[in-house]
Amino acid sequence: EIFSKTFSVSTAMTRRSRSGVIQMVLAKGLMALLTLQVNSERIVSLTEATFAETLRQSQKALVAFVTPWCMACRLLMPELEKAADALARDKSMLVAQCDVSTETRLAQIYSAWRTPLVMFFPDTQVLLPGLQAIFTGQLQHASLVAFTAGPWPLKVHSRAELQEAVQDNGRAGTFVGFFRSPQNAGH
């Protein structure tokens, strides 16, 4: 009788410790799944504090707005790495990611309510929302690279450049945006 009581207490304790180990393993596995940041030299991780400054260090940027729990975001990351490798020759191009589950203000500014959302900033000096192109193609590196090729709006700095651009365009109409300075035109 003493043996059976000791055995049942020992079995109950073993079940609890096994349950604790399983819970710990599951918790660590879940934390690993929720960590989406890519450890790549070519893909920069952006935060609200670094967003504008980091983007303005390049001339153009391809930014993936992602969340850790999004399966499509997980599938995008290897493709984004391949795109970053293919775009590495273009020193004016930045490839970055932003976790909008933690950077909620950036999600609000750029309307990143669904993920993954890939945006191309053809002119990183102007970060106003709405002046970026939203990628709607297949999330494959070749499509991402082709997307960055444009055509994108021409920057003009003088009246003469504007007249030349309008004449070269050959179309009936041209849309022009005027900004006093890049600092007044964005984020």
Side-chain angles (χ1 to χ4, degrees):
E1 187 175 308
I2 293 174
F3 174 73
S4 65
K5 286 182 182 179
T6 305
F7 179 73
S8 63
V9 169
S10 173
T11 305
M13 288 177 68
T14 304
R15 284 185 190 144
R16 279 191 209 128
S17 64
R18 264 192 256 152
S19 174
V21 169
I22 291 171
Q23 287 175 348
M24 182 181 70
V25 168
L26 288 175
K28 286 186 177 187
L30 182 60
M31 291 306 292
L33 282 174
L34 292 179
T35 303
L36 184 63
Q37 299 295 325
V38 173
N39 295 327
S40 171
E41 293 177 13
R42 299 203 200 285
I43 300 176
V44 176
S45 293
L46 301 170
T47 65
E48 184 180 344
T50 64
F51 190 86
E53 181 181 333
T54 303
L55 260 63
R56 287 190 173 131
Q57 290 175 1
S58 64
Q59 292 176 7
K60 48 195 172 182
L62 183 67
V63 179
F65 294 93
V66 295
T67 53
W69 53 82
C70 167
M71 186 53 75
C73 298
R74 294 185 173 285
L75 296 172
L76 169 64
M77 287 298 123
E79 296 299 318
L80 193 63
E81 284 187 274
K82 290 176 192 173
D85 289 341
L87 294 168
R89 287 174 262 135
D90 184 354
K91 300 298 180 196
S92 66
M93 175 71 73
L94 171 73
V95 178
Q97 65 177 350
C98 179
D99 180 354
V100 293
S101 69
T102 56
E103 305 303 328
T104 55
R105 186 157 187 277
L106 289 172
Q108 183 178 19
I109 290 170
Y110 293 103
S111 299
W113 305 122
R114 63 164 181 82
T115 56
L117 175 64
V118 179
M119 285 186 156
F120 181 64
F121 293 74
D123 181 358
T124 58
Q125 300 305 305
V126 182
L127 299 177
L128 281 172
L131 298 179
Q132 299 76 36
I134 297 174
F135 179 74
T136 58
Q138 292 183 343
L139 298 176
Q140 297 174 342
H141 74 280
S143 299
L144 293 166
V145 171
F147 176 63
T148 63
W152 305 111
L154 178 65
K155 281 174 72 173
V156 293
H157 298 93
S158 69
R159 181 179 295 242
E161 286 181 10
L162 177 60
Q163 288 174 336
E164 182 181 329
V166 170
Q167 288 172 350
D168 289 347
N169 187 348
R171 295 186 184 159
T174 301
F175 176 80
V176 179
F178 292 97
F179 300 101
R180 289 187 182 135
S181 71
Q183 291 75 23
N184 292 336
H187 196 278

